[in-house]
């Protein structure tokens, strides 16, 4: 059994997947398995997977599923993973050559049962830490505290204990909604387990025009139930900063207007905060409508 599972949930990214694969082939430590979860791709993804599996350069498994969105790919990967640690590398990202070695050596030296895993840095292709480096004094933290307590604003790469991910219920699906942010899973672990801080680059990130980040307003309108569930979870976190819970309440109200749900206040995880946020939620609803046009 490998120590680390690296999984990639992909949909029609045959043009970027080779870069991800090649970075894994160059790893200085091969104590990992790559799970490639094909979320119903209609391009050449399956042919690439067949070719790479036959090459046998790295330990790799390929799993095809009907298209259901990124969160269903996470569900499938967690179901299949059988390692100590688990991390996602997106289909348009890639790892530094010593990424696996850094993760495993750090975990072997510092692992504890009271932590959920590791949080490390993401870099741009021109070798800049997104959001800057962590404070050298920071040894462990909940990821929710990074921007609010530790002033780190930028993407991070999280590596979780697989056993903790497997204890969670699979992320639900709501009809045809396909934009349920998998951070929902990490929030659940974060409520009970901090992450060890690894102040090194674990992943290179290059944003795509068709990626989730660049289509956020479309996602808000197309997946209101999914976003509502995420916002309710964040509002329920007593350890979350009030500003974050209030912002989540605003987004929750906006999503509930899209759903035309007249039970929005009753179903909220924090009715009082939601009521206070409701005027701003109405404004956000109209703003999203305007931006989408």
């Amino acid at each position: 059994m490998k120590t680390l599972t690296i999984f990639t949930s992909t949909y029609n990214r045959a043009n970027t997947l080779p870069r991800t694969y090649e970075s894994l082939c160059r790893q200085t430590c091969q104590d990992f398995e790559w799970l490639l979860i094909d979320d119903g791709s209609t391009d050449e993804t399956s042919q690439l997977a067949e070719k790479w599996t036959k090459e046998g350069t790295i330990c790799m498994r390929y799993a095809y599923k009907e298209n259901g969105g990124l969160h269903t790919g996470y569900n499938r990967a967690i179901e299949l993973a059988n390692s100590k640690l688990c991390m996602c590398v997106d289909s348009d990202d890639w790892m530094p050559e010593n990424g696996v070695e850094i993760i495993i050596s750090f975990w072997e030296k510092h692992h504890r049962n009271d932590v959920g895993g590791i949080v490390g840095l993401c870099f741009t292709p021109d070798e800049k830490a997104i959001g800057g480096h962590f404070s050298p004094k920071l040894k462990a933290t909940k990821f929710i505290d990074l921007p609010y307590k530790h002033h780190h604003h930028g993407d991070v790469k999280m590596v979780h204990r697989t056993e903790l991910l497997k204890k969670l219920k699979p992320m639900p699906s709501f009809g045809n909604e396909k934009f349920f942010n998998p951070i929902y899973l990490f929030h659940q672990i974060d409520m009970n387990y901090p992450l060890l801080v690894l102040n090194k680059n674990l992943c290179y990130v290059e944003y795509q025009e068709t990626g989730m980040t660049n289509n956020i307003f479309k996602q808000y309108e197309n997946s209101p139930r999914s976003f509502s569930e995420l916002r309710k979870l964040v509002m329920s976190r007593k350890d979350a900063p009030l500003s974050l819970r209030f912002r989540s309440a605003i987004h929750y109200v906006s999503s509930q207007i899209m759903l035309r749900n007249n039970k929005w206040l009753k179903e909220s995880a924090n009715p009082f905060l939601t009521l206070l946020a409701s005027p701003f939620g109405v404004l956000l609803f109209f703003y999203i409508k305007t931006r989408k046009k």
Side-chain angles (χ1 to χ4, degrees):
M1 182 179 71
K2 299 293 186 178
T3 300
L4 176 65
T5 293
I6 300 169
F7 70 88
T8 301
S9 180
T10 184
Y11 176 70
N12 287 348
R13 285 287 176 83
N15 60 320
T16 61
L17 272 173
R19 182 172 58 185
T20 306
Y21 169 70
E22 289 163 8
S23 77
L24 298 179
C25 291
R26 294 192 297 267
Q27 290 302 304
T28 56
C29 173
Q30 290 291 314
D31 188 12
F32 72 92
E33 178 183 43
W34 187 34
L35 288 180
L36 181 58
I37 310 298
D38 187 345
D39 189 30
S41 297
T42 56
D43 60 4
E44 296 78 32
T45 295
S46 62
Q47 292 93 316
L48 287 174
E50 182 179 4
K51 173 188 173 184
W52 295 335
T53 302
K54 288 181 179 179
E55 286 177 355
T57 305
I58 60 174
C59 180
M60 172 183 172
R61 277 189 288 167
Y62 169 74
Y64 179 89
K65 57 179 287 299
E66 292 186 5
N67 181 250
L70 182 64
H71 69 288
T72 63
Y74 269 66
N75 287 343
R76 182 66 171 143
I78 293 168
E79 176 188 348
L80 293 174
N82 55 14
S83 57
K84 292 181 181 178
L85 300 172
C86 196
M87 68 178 290
C88 173
V89 174
D90 290 337
S91 54
D92 50 355
D93 298 341
W94 66 102
M95 293 186 71
E97 294 182 3
N98 61 345
V100 173
E101 182 178 358
I102 289 173
I103 291 168
I104 293 178
S105 60
F106 181 81
W107 183 251
E108 289 179 346
K109 184 177 180 179
H110 299 287
H111 75 275
R112 309 195 310 258
N113 290 332
D114 63 340
V115 298
I118 299 168
V119 59
L121 299 171
C122 290
F123 273 38
T124 61
D126 57 351
E127 300 291 343
K128 295 180 180 178
I130 300 176
H133 286 76
F134 304 126
S135 167
K137 297 180 181 179
L138 188 61
K139 302 302 179 183
T141 181
K142 293 186 175 182
F143 83 78
I144 202 172
D145 290 333
L146 283 172
Y148 296 94
K149 290 185 178 181
H150 308 301
H151 311 292
H152 184 275
H153 302 274
D155 285 350
V156 295
K157 180 56 60 179
M158 289 181 281
V159 184
H160 286 94
R161 289 163 53 194
T162 307
E163 63 175 315
L164 298 180
L165 289 169
K166 284 184 174 291
K167 289 179 180 179
L168 301 176
K169 293 181 180 179
M171 292 181 66
S173 294
F174 303 96
N176 293 323
E177 294 190 9
K178 296 181 180 179
F179 298 106
F180 197 167
N181 195 326
I183 202 171
Y184 182 87
L185 295 169
F186 304 150
H187 270 291
Q188 293 179 77
I189 294 178
D190 200 50
M191 288 189 286
N192 299 302
Y193 296 93
L195 298 167
L196 297 172
V197 174
L198 178 53
N199 213 358
K200 293 185 178 181
N201 176 25
L202 302 185
C203 188
Y204 289 102
V205 174
E206 186 173 65
Y207 300 108
Q208 304 294 314
E209 291 185 3
T210 57
M212 288 185 69
T213 304
N214 287 331
N215 290 276
I216 190 64
F217 292 103
K218 180 180 178 182
Q219 295 168 29
Y220 285 154
E221 187 161 65
N222 290 347
S223 299
R225 288 183 178 83
S226 300
F227 275 95
S228 290
E229 286 300 306
L230 176 58
R231 305 308 181 190
K232 284 195 290 185
L233 177 62
V234 176
M235 280 192 288
S236 72
R237 291 195 60 171
K238 295 181 179 180
D239 60 336
L242 178 59
S243 59
L244 177 58
R245 284 181 282 149
F246 188 72
R247 189 165 70 248
S248 296
I250 293 172
H251 280 270
Y252 170 79
V253 171
S254 175
S255 295
Q256 291 298 304
I257 295 173
M258 294 177 192
L259 291 168
R260 300 180 180 179
N261 180 16
N262 58 14
K263 298 180 180 179
W264 58 277
L265 191 59
K266 181 179 179 181
E267 294 176 358
S268 170
N270 192 325
F272 179 72
L273 193 65
T274 301
L275 188 61
L276 292 177
S278 58
F280 303 98
V282 173
L283 292 174
L284 177 60
F285 167 77
F286 285 110
Y287 179 70
I288 292 171
K289 288 288 186 179
T290 303
R291 283 297 300 266
K292 186 174 181 295
K293 291 178 180 180

